[in-house]
Amino acid sequence: MSETGAPRPEQSRAARHPQEKQRGPVVLRGLYRDEPTTTDQRLLDSRGPSDWVHTDPWRVLRIQAEFVEGFGGLAEVPRAVTVFGSARTPRDHPEYQQGVVLGAALAEAGYAVITGGGPGVMEAANRGCKDAGGFSIGLGIELPFEQGLNDWVDLGINFRYFFTRKTMFVKYSQAFVCLPGGFGTLDELFEALTLVQTKKVTKFPVVLLGSEYWGGLYDWIADKVLGGGKVGEKDLALLHVTDDVDDAVKVVHEAYRAWEEAH
């Protein structure tokens, strides 16, 4: 102690916080300091507890790794269109056949095709693209039930997290084409519309292929959402409803050409 009774500088920290422990940049005090091992010890001692691999800090690294793998795997992909639709669509269904035709038409127009990599409409689009000589991509997702990538995927990446996967769909696509699908398709549809509406992404057409399926949704948005002042006329114009594959590809191509001219 100094003559004034104040703790000496080298002692002041310990005197103020006798129950303190440091864990890298993190300071632990009181009851929170009672940790039996150090970070190095847990890293080097293979016999130590493994609960740490399930902690949130470790998940951050997994998420980071997914972004790195996704960006690295897709960085040199040519211009592409993402096709969404139900995984439950059987191969003998007309919607599956339309997916095959769409995949082929996009490939012939010079676009790679990106899907969720699963069965149903996703498989159909990958199949049509690959059979037409195009570049077929599947971005899978870990689910409680086994699914796996379909056999017509040339480049496949599996993700743990939906939000990482969604980033890849948007970043590496010039457009979305949605065939009839369930909650997953609707989720991606409205996320894309929100990103375009808020100008988080530039010109990015969203095509709804199948007026019988999508017409009711479009009419509801026009009547209730636009009619109630929740969106504007320009927002509704972001959606293109059609039954014709050639028309869908035309919408995609015109938007891409306009983007090229602007850049």
Side-chain angles (χ1 to χ4, degrees):
M1 300 286 289
S2 68
E3 292 181 359
T4 61
R8 292 189 178 91
E10 67 272 13
Q11 296 176 335
S12 59
R13 186 176 182 82
R16 289 198 308 270
H17 304 297
Q19 298 296 313
E20 181 177 292
K21 180 178 182 179
Q22 284 187 291
R23 188 176 65 193
V26 178
V27 176
L28 303 175
R29 293 173 180 164
L31 295 177
Y32 295 99
R33 71 181 293 275
D34 295 329
E35 189 173 83
T37 60
T38 65
T39 304
D40 271 348
Q41 182 181 345
R42 290 192 299 274
L43 172 65
L44 300 173
D45 187 357
S46 61
R47 297 167 298 173
S50 61
D51 290 349
W52 60 274
V53 301
H54 303 294
T55 62
D56 284 344
W58 184 251
R59 290 190 181 100
V60 170
L61 295 180
R62 283 180 172 170
I63 293 166
Q64 182 182 33
E66 286 206 347
F67 278 113
V68 171
E69 289 294 336
F71 292 154
L74 299 170
E76 297 181 351
V77 166
R79 61 181 185 174
V81 174
T82 292
V83 177
F84 289 112
S86 177
R88 304 183 184 190
T89 304
R91 290 178 177 173
D92 60 354
H93 196 284
E95 290 167 4
Y96 184 97
Q97 302 307 318
Q98 190 175 45
V100 172
V101 173
L102 173 65
L106 288 169
E108 290 163 1
Y111 294 92
V113 169
I114 303 175
T115 77
V121 167
M122 294 177 283
E123 176 187 287
N126 285 135
R127 183 176 186 172
C129 175
K130 185 175 179 64
D131 289 349
F135 189 24
S136 178
I137 302 164
L139 306 182
I141 186 70
E142 179 183 84
L143 296 172
F145 43 87
E146 291 298 325
Q147 185 166 307
L149 296 174
N150 66 67
D151 294 336
W152 287 272
V153 167
D154 294 314
L155 170 63
I157 305 175
N158 280 305
F159 294 87
R160 285 188 176 94
Y161 303 100
F162 270 111
F163 55 85
T164 313
R165 180 180 181 238
K166 285 180 177 180
T167 300
M168 304 305 154
F169 281 136
V170 174
K171 181 173 176 61
Y172 295 102
S173 296
Q174 274 67 54
F176 280 176
V177 179
C178 298
L179 276 76
F183 287 159
T185 301
L186 293 170
D187 176 47
E188 298 291 355
L189 164 62
F190 283 106
E191 175 131 3
L193 289 173
T194 302
L195 290 172
V196 178
Q197 180 196 43
T198 56
K199 301 188 184 304
K200 295 294 184 181
V201 295
T202 53
K203 186 66 176 178
F204 194 100
V206 180
V207 181
L208 303 179
L209 190 55
S211 61
E212 183 178 353
Y213 187 85
W214 295 112
L217 175 63
Y218 183 89
D219 291 343
W220 177 81
I221 294 173
D223 181 37
K224 299 297 183 182
V225 187
L226 176 62
K230 306 298 189 294
V231 298
E233 292 282 355
K234 290 183 178 179
D235 301 323
L236 186 64
L238 297 173
L239 281 168
H240 305 269
V241 183
T242 184
D243 291 306
D244 185 68
V245 168
D246 290 337
D247 184 42
V249 175
K250 180 181 178 182
V251 169
V252 171
H253 195 62
E254 287 181 350
Y256 182 76
R257 187 166 54 192
W259 179 86
E260 278 190 314
E261 291 173 355
H263 290 75

